[in-house]
Amino acid sequence: QVQLVESGGGLVQAGGSLRLSCTASGIFSSRNVMGWYRQAPEKHRELVATITSGGSTDYADSVMGRFTISRDNAKNTVYLQMNSLKPEDTGVYYCNYRDIIMSRSYWGQGTQVTVSS
């Protein structure tokens, strides 16, 4: 059974930092992309950042220079370091694991991030 377990969300003041973690279990693919997406109230889910199994990264323009995605392949874990947080970063952050070989995608349950002004 595939599981993505997220942690690290919470309430923080604007300008503060949070670090999200997501560990995938029950799945291993030599070619995969792990990433973070977020959904604010009454908005569509949007990409925040992704990182491939080879280490290539991609970021939304809105978080470039403030957020850093990284991963530990041995632990099947992806991290999102979020600095200089803004109220518009508020939302539910979802972890995603995309298996490139099997063309399958898995989602975590989401973790709430709230940034107060």
Side-chain angles (χ1 to χ4, degrees), residues 9-60:
L11 173 64
V12 65
Q13 288 188 330
S17 297
L18 284 174
R19 188 189 193 215
L20 305 182
S21 300
C22 170
T23 298
S25 61
I27 186 169
F28 174 78
S29 172
S30 59
R31 291 185 62 212
N32 66 77
V33 181
M34 296 187 77
W36 293 94
Y37 293 72
R38 68 187 180 191
Q39 187 166 14
E42 301 182 1
K43 290 191 176 181
H44 295 295
R45 191 175 297 188
E46 63 176 2
L47 179 146
V48 176
T50 61
I51 183 166
T52 69
S53 44
S56 297
T57 59
D58 187 30
Y59 294 92

Side-chain angles (χ1 to χ4, degrees), residues 49-91:
T50 61
I51 183 166
T52 69
S53 44
S56 297
T57 59
D58 187 30
Y59 294 92
D61 289 344
S62 59
V63 307
M64 191 82 70
R66 300 187 297 123
F67 292 9
T68 302
I69 191 168
S70 60
R71 64 187 293 165
D72 183 334
N73 288 336
K75 296 181 179 178
N76 232 12
T77 297
V78 63
Y79 307 96
L80 185 69
Q81 179 65 44
M82 305 185 293
N83 298 328
S84 302
L85 282 160
K86 304 176 181 180
E88 51 263 44
D89 293 318
T90 294

